[in-house]
């Protein structure tokens, strides 16, 4: 399995690399009035307005630190109407994708995150986008924005 590791606080997390469209440096984000607290802002991604959510704010209640390794992970999701969209996830400690032969230590059937894996890279928890998306509370963008 190819994963993209990152950190939230002192803990290690990862996304299945197949879900990641692109990793980009942190850019200035446009605020979104009346959005949820974990909505970091809006950015232009290849000509479309894309919402960017702060994973650290969502899971720990504090904003991601502005570091050289803090990145925007552009991911492809399917919204409630079955339409594919691109969303941004702000994450710290992003480096590069790694191939892992990790074994599952524990499942997480009831939580918003996926299983905990243990491998050569250490212990990492997978972020399951299908479970995470309903918790984001994404405001609706005008038609044509935020999609490819």
């Amino acid at each position: 399995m190819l994963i993209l590791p990152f950190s939230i606080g002192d803990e290690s997390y990862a996304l299945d690399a197949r879900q990641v469209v692109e990793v980009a440096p942190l850019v200035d984000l446009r605020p979104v009035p009346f959005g949820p607290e974990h909505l970091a802002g809006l950015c232009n991604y290849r000509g479309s307005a894309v919402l960017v959510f702060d994973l650290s704010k969502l899971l720990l209640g504090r904003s991601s630190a502005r570091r050289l390794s803090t990145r925007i992970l552009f991911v492809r999701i399917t919204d409630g109407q079955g339409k594919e969209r691109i969303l941004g996830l702000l994450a710290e400690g992003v480096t590069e994708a790694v191939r892992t032969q990790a074994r599952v230590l524990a499942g997480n059937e009831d939580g918003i995150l996926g299983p905990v894996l243990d491998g050569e890279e250490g212990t990492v928890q997978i972020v399951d986008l299908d479970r995470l998306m309903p918790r984001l509370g994404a405001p609706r963008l005008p038609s044509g924005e935020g999609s490819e």
Side-chain angles (χ1 to χ4, degrees), residues 4 19-20 22 29 42-43 49-50 60 63 72-73 75 77 79 83 105-106 109 116-117 122 124 127 138 140 145:
L4 181 63
Q19 297 174 303
V20 180
E22 188 171 337
L29 301 171
L42 191 67
C43 75
V50 173
L60 292 182
S63 298
I72 299 173
L73 311 176
V75 297
I77 59 107
D79 68 14
K83 183 177 177 184
L105 277 182
E109 291 78 22
V116 176
L117 305 179
V124 62
V127 174
R140 295 185 58 68
E145 294 183 14

XYZ file of all heavy atoms in Angstrom, residues 4 19-20 22 29 42-43 49-50 60 63 72-73 75 77 79 83 105-106 109 116-117 122 124 127 138 140 145:
209
model
N 0.610 8.411 2.176
C 1.213 9.728 2.316
C 1.134 10.102 3.794
O 0.072 10.476 4.288
C 0.487 10.765 1.461
C 1.065 12.173 1.534
C 2.499 12.202 0.986
C 0.196 13.153 0.774
N -5.878 8.486 -3.052
C -6.886 9.523 -2.858
C -6.330 10.932 -3.053
O -7.084 11.884 -3.141
C -7.473 9.418 -1.448
C -8.185 8.113 -1.205
C -8.631 7.991 0.231
O -7.841 8.072 1.162
N -9.927 7.808 0.416
N -5.010 11.048 -3.100
C -4.358 12.354 -3.187
C -4.119 12.721 -4.645
O -3.487 11.977 -5.388
C -3.030 12.360 -2.400
C -2.355 13.717 -2.496
C -3.265 11.967 -0.952
N -2.849 15.938 -5.506
C -1.643 16.754 -5.541
C -1.314 17.232 -4.138
O -2.206 17.420 -3.304
C -1.864 17.958 -6.457
C -0.635 18.777 -6.739
C -0.861 19.818 -7.826
O -1.770 19.662 -8.664
O -0.114 20.802 -7.821
N -4.766 31.695 2.266
C -6.128 31.251 1.990
C -7.103 32.390 2.227
O -6.920 33.199 3.132
C -6.486 30.063 2.894
C -5.589 28.831 2.763
C -5.897 27.829 3.853
C -5.739 28.213 1.387
N -10.306 29.268 1.531
C -10.579 28.953 0.136
C -9.338 29.276 -0.675
O -8.666 30.279 -0.417
C -11.754 29.823 -0.309
C -12.454 29.581 -1.614
C -13.184 28.244 -1.589
C -13.454 30.706 -1.854
N -9.018 28.438 -1.653
C -7.889 28.746 -2.533
C -8.250 28.419 -3.971
O -9.225 27.719 -4.245
C -6.625 27.999 -2.107
S -6.595 26.246 -2.488
N -12.383 27.261 -7.326
C -12.355 27.572 -5.894
C -12.450 26.264 -5.129
O -13.363 25.468 -5.354
C -13.523 28.479 -5.545
N -11.506 26.043 -4.223
C -11.449 24.799 -3.460
C -11.399 25.132 -1.972
O -10.617 25.972 -1.539
C -10.211 23.959 -3.865
C -10.041 22.754 -2.965
C -10.312 23.521 -5.314
N -7.728 18.217 16.814
C -7.109 18.625 18.082
C -7.638 19.938 18.637
O -7.330 20.295 19.763
C -5.592 18.764 17.913
C -4.782 17.509 17.654
C -3.303 17.860 17.576
C -5.011 16.475 18.735
N -5.013 25.185 15.389
C -4.642 25.354 13.986
C -3.306 24.691 13.682
O -2.430 24.604 14.554
C -4.550 26.840 13.637
O -5.800 27.451 13.807
N -0.850 21.600 1.711
C -2.242 21.370 1.365
C -2.288 20.088 0.547
O -1.617 19.971 -0.484
C -2.844 22.539 0.561
C -2.793 23.831 1.378
C -4.292 22.220 0.157
C -3.213 25.067 0.605
N -3.055 19.129 1.031
C -3.238 17.874 0.315
C -4.548 17.985 -0.453
O -5.613 18.049 0.155
C -3.300 16.698 1.293
C -2.191 16.634 2.345
C -2.444 15.477 3.300
C -0.836 16.539 1.699
N -7.358 16.387 -2.365
C -7.896 15.030 -2.439
C -9.182 15.019 -3.250
O -9.900 16.015 -3.303
C -8.148 14.441 -1.031
C -6.853 14.312 -0.257
C -9.150 15.273 -0.249
N -12.871 13.563 -3.661
C -13.942 12.946 -2.884
C -15.203 12.910 -3.736
O -15.301 13.591 -4.750
C -14.205 13.703 -1.556
C -14.599 15.178 -1.798
C -12.999 13.656 -0.662
C -16.019 15.452 -1.544
N -19.154 13.772 -3.411
C -20.075 14.467 -2.508
C -21.391 13.701 -2.383
O -21.572 12.634 -2.961
C -20.297 15.924 -2.941
C -21.059 16.061 -4.254
O -21.662 15.086 -4.725
O -21.057 17.179 -4.806
N -21.220 13.453 -7.071
C -20.343 14.230 -7.940
C -18.934 14.280 -7.347
O -18.767 14.491 -6.153
C -20.897 15.646 -8.084
C -20.118 16.529 -9.005
C -20.783 17.892 -9.134
C -19.952 18.791 -10.011
N -20.498 20.143 -10.085
N -3.034 -3.011 13.252
C -2.986 -3.229 14.701
C -4.378 -3.199 15.302
O -4.703 -3.959 16.182
C -2.177 -2.121 15.385
C -0.683 -2.246 15.427
C -0.091 -1.064 16.181
C -0.236 -3.540 16.054
N -5.173 -2.252 14.818
C -6.520 -2.087 15.365
C -7.404 -1.459 14.316
O -6.970 -0.602 13.550
C -6.475 -1.204 16.609
N -13.874 0.967 13.501
C -15.140 0.898 12.784
C -16.115 2.020 13.156
O -16.941 2.421 12.363
C -15.823 -0.458 13.025
C -15.104 -1.626 12.392
C -13.873 -2.071 13.181
O -13.785 -1.777 14.391
O -12.988 -2.692 12.591
N -5.419 1.555 12.450
C -4.063 1.861 12.903
C -3.153 0.795 12.314
O -3.421 -0.403 12.447
C -3.979 1.858 14.448
C -2.544 2.088 14.907
C -4.919 2.900 15.030
N -2.087 1.233 11.658
C -1.139 0.319 11.029
C 0.187 0.338 11.763
O 0.580 1.360 12.330
C -0.897 0.724 9.569
C -2.103 0.863 8.656
C -1.656 1.292 7.259
C -2.900 -0.425 8.594
N 6.797 2.796 11.522
C 6.236 3.044 12.839
C 4.732 2.874 12.812
O 4.167 2.319 11.875
N 1.014 4.246 12.478
C 0.349 5.346 11.781
C -1.142 5.028 11.684
O -1.520 3.879 11.526
C 0.973 5.566 10.379
C 0.807 4.357 9.493
C 0.424 6.794 9.710
N -6.327 8.027 7.701
C -7.483 8.910 7.683
C -8.389 8.425 6.555
O -7.994 8.411 5.393
C -7.076 10.380 7.460
C -8.294 11.273 7.308
C -6.198 10.860 8.609
N -18.928 21.070 5.063
C -18.513 21.969 3.985
C -19.661 22.827 3.487
O -20.721 22.310 3.163
C -17.942 21.155 2.821
N -21.679 24.960 0.743
C -21.830 24.719 -0.688
C -21.249 25.885 -1.458
O -21.493 27.040 -1.124
C -23.293 24.530 -1.042
C -23.833 23.262 -0.376
C -25.224 22.890 -0.739
N -25.564 22.661 -2.111
C -25.139 21.647 -2.868
N -24.274 20.792 -2.389
N -25.582 21.491 -4.095
N -17.860 25.701 -9.137
C -16.678 25.942 -8.337
C -16.412 24.738 -7.458
O -17.314 24.061 -7.011
C -16.864 27.185 -7.476
C -16.970 28.437 -8.294
C -17.070 29.678 -7.433
O -16.798 29.590 -6.220
O -17.407 30.720 -7.962
